[in-house]
Amino acid sequence: MTRRTRYSGADVSQHIYDRGNNRQRIFADEQDYAHFAAAMFRFARKFEIAIHAWALMPNHFHILLTPSKPDTLPRFMQFLKSTYTTYFNMKNKRTGTIWEQRYKQLLADDQEYILELYRYIELNPVRAHLTKGPRGFHWTSYHTNAMGVPSGGLTPHPYYLLLGTDEHERQKNYREFVRAAFGKERSFYEAQVAILKTAAASIAVYGSEEFHKKISERVTFALPHYQRLVIMTEQESG
């Protein structure tokens, strides 16, 4: 099978996703989660990659990040996955890979797309019925982005910073944005989840036509393109 080419340019925000081989658990206890999170932030600093949002689930992980230099993302992922594999195999007295395949990559632009990825990633535990609300699951960036819990490894995305003039206003507005997924924006949010689950199957672009064109000019292979759905109420549509 031909290995899919990866986009390794700089300054493009990306949703990175990977899961355990045969959907097996890769995080069995708090020690596992903590070990992966520490390695994630350590290698992000090493390769000058900004991490904006993340969620560690029992059998997979999601990271929203932006590389500052070209060709660093593949190295970051190689170091992160191989380091965790070594730890996991030693702990569980096993050998071989624990990952299903190469990581998935979704390129994104514009505030609406970036914030949708924030919400999608941090609500993973809720959709998986691990908790009733995002505050109830420890291993996501929601606690920093929405609640202000200090995190030395997290970098607010420039579009997240537009949510308010100070951190308290940004956190309040972000909490309201997340809550809207279960209220007035529920239909819209569920539509975006369906789009993002489809897009996670391969490298793809989640953004405007202009952004897709810009990225396509940098690569030599076709990129699937996904956009946010516009869902109007009967009143809005007349």
Side-chain angles (χ1 to χ4, degrees):
M1 180 181 295
T2 302
R3 300 181 74 187
R4 180 176 291 275
T5 305
R6 294 297 181 207
Y7 179 82
S8 58
D11 301 322
V12 175
S13 298
Q14 306 175 40
H15 170 210
I16 302 299
Y17 164 89
D18 208 348
R19 66 185 178 194
N21 193 30
N22 293 321
R23 299 176 183 257
Q24 72 179 37
R25 287 193 67 130
I26 53 176
F27 305 117
D29 54 33
E30 296 294 289
Q31 180 183 2
D32 291 349
Y33 285 111
H35 189 92
F36 186 93
M40 175 177 68
F41 288 124
R42 183 169 74 252
F43 292 128
R45 290 191 295 270
K46 176 182 176 66
F47 293 108
E48 300 182 43
I49 289 175
I51 295 179
H52 313 299
W54 56 274
L56 308 184
M57 303 291 286
N59 69 351
H60 66 278
F61 66 83
H62 298 267
I63 310 173
L64 177 63
L65 52 76
T66 306
S68 63
K69 296 180 179 179
D71 302 317
T72 55
L73 178 59
R75 297 174 64 198
F76 165 74
M77 291 303 297
Q78 180 184 12
F79 273 68
L80 176 59
K81 291 173 64 176
S82 63
T83 295
Y84 186 75
T85 297
T86 299
Y87 154 82
F88 186 87
N89 284 348
M90 290 181 63
K91 178 185 175 185
N92 295 285
K93 298 179 173 59
R94 67 181 300 279
T95 61
T97 184
I98 64 173
W99 306 106
E100 183 176 71
Q101 53 187 321
R102 299 180 73 201
Y103 63 89
K104 316 298 192 306
Q105 188 179 24
L106 180 66
L107 314 180
D109 81 325
D110 294 343
Q111 185 176 19
E112 293 83 1
Y113 295 96
I114 294 298
L115 292 180
E116 208 63 61
L117 285 170
Y118 263 82
R119 181 163 69 175
Y120 171 78
I121 289 170
E122 294 179 351
L123 285 179
N124 253 257
V126 179
R127 292 195 304 276
H129 306 293
L130 298 177
T131 177
K132 290 184 178 179
R135 293 180 64 179
F137 189 80
H138 179 67
W139 297 103
T140 79
S141 53
Y142 178 84
H143 304 277
T144 298
N145 290 323
M147 310 303 299
V149 175
S151 172
L154 207 64
T155 302
H157 193 283
Y159 289 135
Y160 170 86
L161 294 176
L162 294 178
L163 287 173
T165 56
D166 58 49
E167 62 179 19
H168 299 293
E169 183 180 8
R170 287 191 289 270
Q171 291 159 15
K172 175 179 178 292
N173 289 336
Y174 183 66
R175 289 195 300 271
E176 292 176 356
F177 175 67
V178 172
R179 279 197 295 268
F182 305 104
K184 62 182 180 180
E185 293 185 13
R186 186 179 186 91
S187 295
F188 177 83
Y189 166 71
E190 291 177 349
Q192 299 315 303
V193 169
I195 289 173
L196 290 167
K197 284 185 175 180
T198 300
S202 63
I203 177 174
V205 171
Y206 180 56
S208 64
E209 292 283 356
E210 292 77 12
F211 179 62
H212 179 252
K213 180 180 179 181
K214 180 176 73 174
I215 295 298
S216 296
E217 290 173 349
R218 302 181 186 179
V219 299
T220 58
F221 52 95
L223 284 168
H225 182 203
Y226 299 88
Q227 293 180 286
R228 296 167 78 243
L229 293 180
V230 177
I231 299 178
M232 297 188 296
T233 65
E234 292 182 4
Q235 182 179 4
E236 289 173 330
S237 60

